[in-house]
Amino acid sequence: MTTTPQAVRRPSPRPRRRAAPPDPARALLPAAEPVRMLDEDGHRLPEQPDQPEPDAGTLREMYRRMVIGRRFDTQATALTKQGRLAVYPSARGQEACQVGAVLALRDNDWVFPTYRESMALVSRGIDPVEVLTLLRGDWHCGYDPGARRTAPQCTPLATQTIHAAGLAYGEARQGRDTVALAFIGDGATSEGDFHEGVNFAAVFRAPVVFFVQNNRYAISVPLSRQTAAPALAYKGIGYGVPSEQVDGNDPLAVLAVLGRAVAHARAGNGPYLVEAHTYRMEPHTNADDAGRYRDDAEVEAWTGRDPIARLETYLRAGGVLDDAAVAGIAAEAEALAADLRTRMQAEPQVHPLSLFDHVFAEPTSQLREQREMVRAELAAEEEA
């Protein structure tokens, strides 16, 4: 009797694995570590192909402005002790961020500063006395924002991010290649206005750079109590905004990263978020006691990362700076400080009727009525 052999079962072919789709968030991710081009002693680190080095002339000008900016900052701090300023928030230690942001922009671009950006405004060419007018209490803003393309310094946290996004969107709608740069502190990234501004800019592809100066403390609150994110730069990803983090005390890296961010926005690619890791050497303001929440060892450690010293070392090694040039820049800074002292000693002459100026572009009937009442009272006092 013969038997029919049973069919041999062959294993089913394994299904082919489909290639994983590209991760859309990868292009938005910042570097795992802050971008650096100089070490803490001012020596050049290995080349980073995607971070072109700024030219020598720009770096020399950055050094000049940082030295002048620090001297201005020191003088403004002294003016508070003399009663000439009501308050002053120092930016000493953040010179690379303050000056680098201004140098990355064109004259027709807009700046949206916080209360700590006095040094940046001086670097932008605004009269130092006009910059300090707000902090002396004479005006809400001492310069013409439209003429200087610089918004008034903003004291409420993060409200300037919405203003920057709106202006940038409006400029783009009118066919202009204007870029807006909004300065932001680390504490401001916890405010709702920050998230609204970034989200609006992303959705409408507004050409704005959100520049976060992470100086480690929101007044006395350390960064670890503000966020659990690996870095503040990651906050852009959730809104579809490309981001980068940079050593904020490395002048070369700050210029390179901000230059790329501004070019990205100007090319019509939408907003960009940059986080600079830096440190506020002075208290939050002259009214703050920083010793309550940080120790001297921490401050001393950051003193060794001084952005001015790092850039000076690098430029001297390259023959861009010498003793004569350094002395000349220091003398220029001292002359500015002396002029500032002299002019700030003069008591401001403010007429009561100026209270009604610049409230509205076109005064309302109520405002005109109130102004006339004050004018009449002043006239009556003169006649008495």
CSV table of all heavy atoms in Angstrom, one decimal, residues 62-106:
chain,number,residue,atom,x,y,z
A,62,MET,N,32.7,94.3,18.4
A,62,MET,CA,31.9,93.7,19.5
A,62,MET,C,32.7,93.9,20.8
A,62,MET,O,32.1,94.2,21.9
A,62,MET,CB,31.7,92.2,19.3
A,62,MET,CG,30.8,91.5,20.4
A,62,MET,SD,30.4,89.8,19.9
A,62,MET,CE,29.1,89.5,21.2
A,63,TYR,N,34.0,93.7,20.8
A,63,TYR,CA,34.8,93.9,22.0
A,63,TYR,C,34.7,95.4,22.5
A,63,TYR,O,34.5,95.7,23.7
A,63,TYR,CB,36.3,93.6,21.7
A,63,TYR,CG,37.2,94.0,22.8
A,63,TYR,CD1,37.4,93.1,23.9
A,63,TYR,CD2,37.9,95.2,22.8
A,63,TYR,CE1,38.2,93.5,25.0
A,63,TYR,CE2,38.8,95.5,23.9
A,63,TYR,CZ,38.9,94.7,25.0
A,63,TYR,OH,39.7,95.0,26.0
A,64,ARG,N,34.8,96.3,21.5
A,64,ARG,CA,34.7,97.7,21.9
A,64,ARG,C,33.3,98.0,22.5
A,64,ARG,O,33.2,98.7,23.6
A,64,ARG,CB,34.8,98.6,20.6
A,64,ARG,CG,34.5,100.1,20.8
A,64,ARG,CD,34.6,100.8,19.5
A,64,ARG,NE,34.0,102.1,19.6
A,64,ARG,CZ,32.7,102.4,19.4
A,64,ARG,NH1,31.9,101.4,19.1
A,64,ARG,NH2,32.2,103.6,19.6
A,65,ARG,N,32.3,97.5,22.0
A,65,ARG,CA,30.9,97.8,22.5
A,65,ARG,C,30.7,97.1,23.9
A,65,ARG,O,30.0,97.6,24.7
A,65,ARG,CB,29.8,97.4,21.5
A,65,ARG,CG,29.8,98.2,20.2
A,65,ARG,CD,28.5,97.9,19.5
A,65,ARG,NE,28.6,98.4,18.1
A,65,ARG,CZ,27.6,98.5,17.3
A,65,ARG,NH1,26.4,98.1,17.7
A,65,ARG,NH2,27.8,98.9,16.0
A,66,MET,N,31.3,96.0,24.0
A,66,MET,CA,31.1,95.3,25.3
A,66,MET,C,31.9,96.0,26.4
A,66,MET,O,31.4,96.2,27.6
A,66,MET,CB,31.7,93.8,25.2
A,66,MET,CG,30.8,92.9,24.5
A,66,MET,SD,31.1,91.1,24.9
A,66,MET,CE,32.8,91.0,24.4
A,67,VAL,N,33.1,96.6,26.1
A,67,VAL,CA,33.8,97.3,27.1
A,67,VAL,C,33.1,98.6,27.5
A,67,VAL,O,32.9,99.0,28.7
A,67,VAL,CB,35.2,97.7,26.6
A,67,VAL,CG1,35.9,98.7,27.5
A,67,VAL,CG2,36.1,96.4,26.5
A,68,ILE,N,32.6,99.3,26.5
A,68,ILE,CA,31.8,100.5,26.7
A,68,ILE,C,30.5,100.2,27.5
A,68,ILE,O,30.1,100.9,28.4
A,68,ILE,CB,31.5,101.2,25.4
A,68,ILE,CG1,32.7,101.8,24.8
A,68,ILE,CG2,30.4,102.3,25.6
A,68,ILE,CD1,32.6,102.4,23.4
A,69,GLY,N,29.8,99.1,27.1
A,69,GLY,CA,28.6,98.7,27.7
A,69,GLY,C,28.8,98.4,29.2
A,69,GLY,O,28.0,98.7,30.1
A,70,ARG,N,29.9,97.7,29.5
A,70,ARG,CA,30.2,97.4,30.9
A,70,ARG,C,30.4,98.6,31.7
A,70,ARG,O,30.0,98.8,32.9
A,70,ARG,CB,31.3,96.4,31.1
A,70,ARG,CG,31.7,96.1,32.5
A,70,ARG,CD,32.7,95.0,32.7
A,70,ARG,NE,32.1,93.7,32.3
A,70,ARG,CZ,32.8,92.5,32.4
A,70,ARG,NH1,34.0,92.5,32.8
A,70,ARG,NH2,32.2,91.4,32.0
A,71,ARG,N,31.2,99.5,31.1
A,71,ARG,CA,31.5,100.8,31.9
A,71,ARG,C,30.2,101.6,32.1
A,71,ARG,O,30.0,102.2,33.2
A,71,ARG,CB,32.5,101.6,31.1
A,71,ARG,CG,33.0,102.9,31.9
A,71,ARG,CD,33.7,102.5,33.1
A,71,ARG,NE,34.0,103.6,34.0
A,71,ARG,CZ,33.2,104.1,34.9
A,71,ARG,NH1,32.0,103.5,35.2
A,71,ARG,NH2,33.6,105.1,35.7
A,72,PHE,N,29.3,101.6,31.1
A,72,PHE,CA,28.0,102.3,31.2
A,72,PHE,C,27.3,101.6,32.4
A,72,PHE,O,26.7,102.3,33.2
A,72,PHE,CB,27.2,102.2,29.9
A,72,PHE,CG,25.8,102.4,30.1
A,72,PHE,CD1,25.2,103.6,30.3
A,72,PHE,CD2,24.9,101.3,30.2
A,72,PHE,CE1,23.8,103.8,30.5
A,72,PHE,CE2,23.6,101.4,30.4
A,72,PHE,CZ,23.0,102.7,30.5
A,73,ASP,N,27.2,100.3,32.4
A,73,ASP,CA,26.5,99.5,33.4
A,73,ASP,C,27.0,99.8,34.8
A,73,ASP,O,26.2,100.0,35.7
A,73,ASP,CB,26.6,98.0,33.1
A,73,ASP,CG,25.7,97.2,33.9
A,73,ASP,OD1,24.5,97.0,33.5
A,73,ASP,OD2,26.1,96.7,35.0
A,74,THR,N,28.3,99.9,34.9
A,74,THR,CA,28.9,100.2,36.2
A,74,THR,C,28.6,101.6,36.7
A,74,THR,O,28.3,101.8,37.9
A,74,THR,CB,30.5,100.0,36.2
A,74,THR,OG1,30.8,98.7,35.7
A,74,THR,CG2,31.1,100.3,37.5
A,75,GLN,N,28.6,102.5,35.7
A,75,GLN,CA,28.3,103.9,36.1
A,75,GLN,C,26.8,104.0,36.4
A,75,GLN,O,26.4,104.8,37.4
A,75,GLN,CB,28.6,104.8,34.9
A,75,GLN,CG,28.4,106.3,35.2
A,75,GLN,CD,29.3,106.8,36.3
A,75,GLN,OE1,30.5,106.7,36.2
A,75,GLN,NE2,28.7,107.2,37.4
A,76,ALA,N,25.9,103.4,35.7
A,76,ALA,CA,24.5,103.4,36.1
A,76,ALA,C,24.2,102.8,37.4
A,76,ALA,O,23.4,103.4,38.2
A,76,ALA,CB,23.7,102.7,35.0
A,77,THR,N,24.9,101.8,37.8
A,77,THR,CA,24.8,101.2,39.2
A,77,THR,C,25.2,102.2,40.2
A,77,THR,O,24.6,102.4,41.3
A,77,THR,CB,25.7,99.9,39.3
A,77,THR,OG1,25.2,99.0,38.3
A,77,THR,CG2,25.6,99.3,40.7
A,78,ALA,N,26.3,103.0,39.9
A,78,ALA,CA,26.8,104.0,40.9
A,78,ALA,C,25.7,105.1,41.0
A,78,ALA,O,25.5,105.7,42.1
A,78,ALA,CB,28.1,104.5,40.4
A,79,LEU,N,25.1,105.4,39.9
A,79,LEU,CA,24.1,106.5,39.9
A,79,LEU,C,22.9,106.2,40.9
A,79,LEU,O,22.3,107.1,41.5
A,79,LEU,CB,23.5,106.8,38.5
A,79,LEU,CG,24.5,107.5,37.6
A,79,LEU,CD1,24.0,107.5,36.2
A,79,LEU,CD2,24.8,108.9,38.1
A,80,THR,N,22.6,104.9,41.0
A,80,THR,CA,21.5,104.5,41.9
A,80,THR,C,21.9,104.8,43.4
A,80,THR,O,21.1,105.2,44.2
A,80,THR,CB,21.1,103.0,41.8
A,80,THR,OG1,22.3,102.2,42.2
A,80,THR,CG2,20.7,102.7,40.4
A,81,LYS,N,23.2,104.6,43.7
A,81,LYS,CA,23.7,104.9,45.0
A,81,LYS,C,23.7,106.3,45.3
A,81,LYS,O,23.7,106.7,46.5
A,81,LYS,CB,25.1,104.2,45.2
A,81,LYS,CG,25.1,102.7,45.0
A,81,LYS,CD,26.5,102.2,45.0
A,81,LYS,CE,26.5,100.7,44.8
A,81,LYS,NZ,27.9,100.1,44.8
A,82,GLN,N,23.8,107.2,44.3
A,82,GLN,CA,23.8,108.6,44.5
A,82,GLN,C,22.4,109.2,44.4
A,82,GLN,O,22.3,110.4,44.5
A,82,GLN,CB,24.7,109.2,43.4
A,82,GLN,CG,26.1,108.8,43.4
A,82,GLN,CD,26.8,109.1,42.1
A,82,GLN,OE1,26.3,109.9,41.2
A,82,GLN,NE2,28.0,108.6,41.9
A,83,GLY,N,21.4,108.4,44.3
A,83,GLY,CA,20.0,108.8,44.3
A,83,GLY,C,19.6,109.4,42.9
A,83,GLY,O,18.5,110.0,42.8
A,84,ARG,N,20.4,109.2,41.9
A,84,ARG,CA,20.1,109.8,40.6
A,84,ARG,C,19.2,108.8,39.8
A,84,ARG,O,18.5,109.3,38.8
A,84,ARG,CB,21.3,110.1,39.8
A,84,ARG,CG,22.1,111.2,40.3
A,84,ARG,CD,21.3,112.5,40.2
A,84,ARG,NE,22.0,113.6,40.8
A,84,ARG,CZ,21.5,114.9,40.8
A,84,ARG,NH1,20.3,115.1,40.3
A,84,ARG,NH2,22.1,115.8,41.5
A,85,LEU,N,19.1,107.6,40.2
A,85,LEU,CA,18.2,106.6,39.5
A,85,LEU,C,17.3,106.0,40.6
A,85,LEU,O,17.9,105.7,41.7
A,85,LEU,CB,19.0,105.5,38.8
A,85,LEU,CG,19.8,105.9,37.5
A,85,LEU,CD1,20.5,104.7,37.0
A,85,LEU,CD2,18.8,106.6,36.5
A,86,ALA,N,16.1,105.7,40.3
A,86,ALA,CA,15.2,105.1,41.3
A,86,ALA,C,15.6,103.6,41.4
A,86,ALA,O,15.5,103.0,42.5
A,86,ALA,CB,13.8,105.2,40.8
A,87,VAL,N,16.0,103.0,40.3
A,87,VAL,CA,16.4,101.6,40.3
A,87,VAL,C,17.2,101.3,39.1
A,87,VAL,O,17.1,102.0,38.1
A,87,VAL,CB,15.1,100.7,40.3
A,87,VAL,CG1,14.3,100.8,39.0
A,87,VAL,CG2,15.4,99.2,40.6
A,88,TYR,N,18.0,100.3,39.2
A,88,TYR,CA,18.8,99.9,38.0
A,88,TYR,C,19.0,98.4,38.0
A,88,TYR,O,19.6,97.8,38.9
A,88,TYR,CB,20.1,100.6,37.9
A,88,TYR,CG,20.9,100.2,36.6
A,88,TYR,CD1,20.4,100.7,35.4
A,88,TYR,CD2,22.0,99.4,36.7
A,88,TYR,CE1,21.1,100.3,34.2
A,88,TYR,CE2,22.7,99.0,35.5
A,88,TYR,CZ,22.2,99.5,34.3
A,88,TYR,OH,22.8,99.2,33.1
A,89,PRO,N,18.6,97.7,36.9
A,89,PRO,CA,18.9,96.2,36.8
A,89,PRO,C,20.1,96.0,36.0
A,89,PRO,O,20.1,96.3,34.8
A,89,PRO,CB,17.6,95.7,36.1
A,89,PRO,CG,16.8,96.9,35.8
A,89,PRO,CD,17.6,98.1,36.0
A,90,SER,N,21.2,95.6,36.6
A,90,SER,CA,22.5,95.5,35.9
A,90,SER,C,22.5,94.3,35.0
A,90,SER,O,21.8,93.3,35.3
A,90,SER,CB,23.6,95.3,37.0
A,90,SER,OG,24.8,95.0,36.4
A,91,ALA,N,23.3,94.4,33.9
A,91,ALA,CA,23.5,93.3,33.0
A,91,ALA,C,24.9,92.9,33.0
A,91,ALA,O,25.4,92.2,32.0
A,91,ALA,CB,23.0,93.6,31.6
A,92,ARG,N,25.7,93.2,34.0
A,92,ARG,CA,27.1,92.9,34.0
A,92,ARG,C,27.3,91.4,34.0
A,92,ARG,O,26.6,90.6,34.7
A,92,ARG,CB,27.8,93.4,35.2
A,92,ARG,CG,29.3,93.2,35.2
A,92,ARG,CD,30.0,94.1,36.2
A,92,ARG,NE,29.9,93.5,37.6
A,92,ARG,CZ,30.7,92.6,38.1
A,92,ARG,NH1,31.7,92.1,37.4
A,92,ARG,NH2,30.4,92.2,39.4
A,93,GLY,N,28.1,90.9,33.1
A,93,GLY,CA,28.3,89.5,32.9
A,93,GLY,C,27.6,89.0,31.6
A,93,GLY,O,27.9,87.9,31.1
A,94,GLN,N,26.6,89.7,31.2
A,94,GLN,CA,25.8,89.4,30.0
A,94,GLN,C,26.1,90.2,28.8
A,94,GLN,O,25.3,90.3,27.8
A,94,GLN,CB,24.3,89.5,30.3
A,94,GLN,CG,23.9,88.6,31.5
A,94,GLN,CD,22.4,88.8,31.9
A,94,GLN,OE1,22.0,88.7,33.0
A,94,GLN,NE2,21.5,89.0,30.9
A,95,GLU,N,27.3,90.8,28.7
A,95,GLU,CA,27.7,91.7,27.7
A,95,GLU,C,27.7,91.0,26.3
A,95,GLU,O,27.3,91.7,25.3
A,95,GLU,CB,29.1,92.2,27.9
A,95,GLU,CG,29.2,93.2,29.1
A,95,GLU,CD,29.4,92.6,30.4
A,95,GLU,OE1,29.4,91.3,30.5
A,95,GLU,OE2,29.5,93.3,31.4
A,96,ALA,N,28.1,89.8,26.2
A,96,ALA,CA,28.1,89.1,24.9
A,96,ALA,C,26.7,89.0,24.3
A,96,ALA,O,26.5,89.1,23.1
A,96,ALA,CB,28.7,87.7,25.0
A,97,CYS,N,25.7,88.7,25.2
A,97,CYS,CA,24.3,88.6,24.8
A,97,CYS,C,23.8,90.0,24.4
A,97,CYS,O,23.1,90.2,23.3
A,97,CYS,CB,23.5,88.0,25.9
A,97,CYS,SG,23.9,86.3,26.4
A,98,GLN,N,24.0,91.0,25.2
A,98,GLN,CA,23.5,92.3,25.0
A,98,GLN,C,24.0,92.9,23.7
A,98,GLN,O,23.3,93.5,22.9
A,98,GLN,CB,23.9,93.2,26.2
A,98,GLN,CG,23.3,92.8,27.5
A,98,GLN,CD,21.9,93.3,27.8
A,98,GLN,OE1,21.7,94.5,27.7
A,98,GLN,NE2,21.0,92.5,28.1
A,99,VAL,N,25.3,92.8,23.5
A,99,VAL,CA,25.9,93.4,22.3
A,99,VAL,C,25.8,92.5,21.1
A,99,VAL,O,25.5,93.0,20.0
A,99,VAL,CB,27.4,93.7,22.6
A,99,VAL,CG1,28.1,94.2,21.3
A,99,VAL,CG2,27.6,94.7,23.7
A,100,GLY,N,25.9,91.2,21.3
A,100,GLY,CA,25.8,90.3,20.1
A,100,GLY,C,24.4,90.4,19.5
A,100,GLY,O,24.3,90.3,18.2
A,101,ALA,N,23.4,90.5,20.2
A,101,ALA,CA,22.0,90.6,19.7
A,101,ALA,C,21.9,91.9,18.8
A,101,ALA,O,21.3,91.8,17.7
A,101,ALA,CB,21.0,90.7,20.8
A,102,VAL,N,22.5,93.0,19.2
A,102,VAL,CA,22.4,94.2,18.5
A,102,VAL,C,23.2,94.1,17.2
A,102,VAL,O,22.7,94.5,16.1
A,102,VAL,CB,22.9,95.4,19.3
A,102,VAL,CG1,23.0,96.7,18.5
A,102,VAL,CG2,21.9,95.7,20.5
A,103,LEU,N,24.4,93.5,17.3
A,103,LEU,CA,25.2,93.4,16.1
A,103,LEU,C,24.6,92.4,15.1
A,103,LEU,O,25.0,92.5,13.9
A,103,LEU,CB,26.6,92.9,16.5
A,103,LEU,CG,27.5,94.0,17.1
A,103,LEU,CD1,28.9,93.3,17.5
A,103,LEU,CD2,27.8,95.1,16.1
A,104,ALA,N,23.8,91.5,15.5
A,104,ALA,CA,23.2,90.5,14.5
A,104,ALA,C,22.1,91.2,13.7
A,104,ALA,O,21.7,90.6,12.7
A,104,ALA,CB,22.7,89.3,15.3
A,105,LEU,N,21.7,92.3,14.1
A,105,LEU,CA,20.5,93.0,13.4
A,105,LEU,C,21.0,94.1,12.5
A,105,LEU,O,22.1,94.6,12.6
A,105,LEU,CB,19.6,93.6,14.5
A,105,LEU,CG,18.9,92.6,15.4
A,105,LEU,CD1,18.2,93.3,16.5
A,105,LEU,CD2,18.0,91.6,14.7
A,106,ARG,N,20.1,94.5,11.6
A,106,ARG,CA,20.3,95.6,10.7
A,106,ARG,C,19.6,96.8,11.4
A,106,ARG,O,18.8,96.7,12.4
A,106,ARG,CB,19.6,95.4,9.4
A,106,ARG,CG,20.2,94.3,8.6
A,106,ARG,CD,19.4,94.2,7.3
A,106,ARG,NE,19.9,93.1,6.4
A,106,ARG,CZ,19.3,92.6,5.4
A,106,ARG,NH1,18.1,93.1,5.0
A,106,ARG,NH2,19.8,91.6,4.7
